[in-house]
Amino acid sequence: MCKRNFLKSLIALSAMPLGSGPLGAAEAEPGGPVILSVSGKIRGAGPVDFDARALEALGTREIRTRTQWLTAPADWSGVPLDKVLASVGAAGDSLRLRALNDYSVTVPMADVVRFGPILASRLNGKGLSVRDRGPLILIYPFDHFPELNAQVYHDRAVWQLREIVVE
């Protein structure tokens, strides 16, 4: 999907929090605006695009933790990253995460296995819009693993996540 169409999809989402519509089964082709594209070393030839409904159909989990931009513990909920990767048949050693502003960072696959981060779409029960750093934020369980309270892990907590490339 070209960047212009991707951004148009996200502009349509800016006022609509992720998960505001009814849940449904995952679809082969997104029925709503694409909020995440996964490519690279995955099953099949091209990228896999997800809308909010397809992501939530994979199942969600909650993490209660502090972040560097919130002082009090908060309840983050979203799809476990390992479920997203399993759904596309990811077979790499690392992930290149890219945000709407083109910020990108590499996340070792070992982080996914060891820490179980989620692609959070809700904060304290409220869906995240683009204005709220959404629609997706990679959230680690910072309060559950003391070693996560290091800048390298805070840098990996990408907000406004739009793309994952499996490397």
Side-chain angles (χ1 to χ4, degrees), residues 97-160:
L97 278 60
R98 189 174 326 273
L100 288 176
N101 66 357
D102 282 332
Y103 172 80
S104 78
V105 67
T106 298
V107 173
M109 196 65 82
D111 279 13
V112 178
V113 174
R114 182 169 182 208
F115 302 118
I118 64 171
L119 299 180
S121 58
R122 294 183 176 277
L123 171 59
N124 295 324
K126 181 184 175 214
L128 296 170
S129 69
V130 172
R131 290 180 188 203
D132 300 321
R133 296 189 176 117
L136 298 172
I137 302 175
L138 182 68
I139 295 292
Y140 284 84
F142 294 106
D143 289 351
H144 302 276
F145 296 92
E147 62 267 38
L148 289 176
N149 289 304
Q151 193 59 48
V152 66
Y153 295 105
H154 293 288
D155 290 347
R156 293 175 185 167
V158 177
W159 62 71
Q160 295 179 335

Side-chain angles (χ1 to χ4, degrees), residues 1-148:
M1 166 177 266
C2 77
K3 188 173 183 179
R4 176 176 287 160
N5 289 338
F6 190 87
L7 291 175
K8 283 181 184 178
S9 294
L10 285 171
I11 289 169
L13 279 174
S14 66
M16 181 183 86
L18 180 65
S20 62
L23 291 177
E27 303 170 12
E29 291 292 320
V34 172
I35 61 169
L36 180 67
S37 183
V38 183
S39 62
K41 294 181 180 179
I42 62 172
R43 177 179 52 246
V48 176
D49 294 332
F50 291 90
D51 63 8
R53 191 178 273 182
L55 271 179
E56 287 193 0
L58 297 174
T60 61
R61 185 168 60 93
E62 188 171 284
I63 294 175
R64 182 168 183 77
T65 193
R66 289 178 189 85
T67 63
Q68 66 179 3
W69 57 90
L70 296 176
T71 57
D75 296 320
W76 299 90
S77 60
V79 179
L81 182 54
D82 63 346
K83 286 188 176 190
V84 174
L85 298 174
S87 77
V88 299
D93 297 322
S94 64
L95 307 169
R96 170 65 60 180
L97 278 60
R98 189 174 326 273
L100 288 176
N101 66 357
D102 282 332
Y103 172 80
S104 78
V105 67
T106 298
V107 173
M109 196 65 82
D111 279 13
V112 178
V113 174
R114 182 169 182 208
F115 302 118
I118 64 171
L119 299 180
S121 58
R122 294 183 176 277
L123 171 59
N124 295 324
K126 181 184 175 214
L128 296 170
S129 69
V130 172
R131 290 180 188 203
D132 300 321
R133 296 189 176 117
L136 298 172
I137 302 175
L138 182 68
I139 295 292
Y140 284 84
F142 294 106
D143 289 351
H144 302 276
F145 296 92
E147 62 267 38
L148 289 176

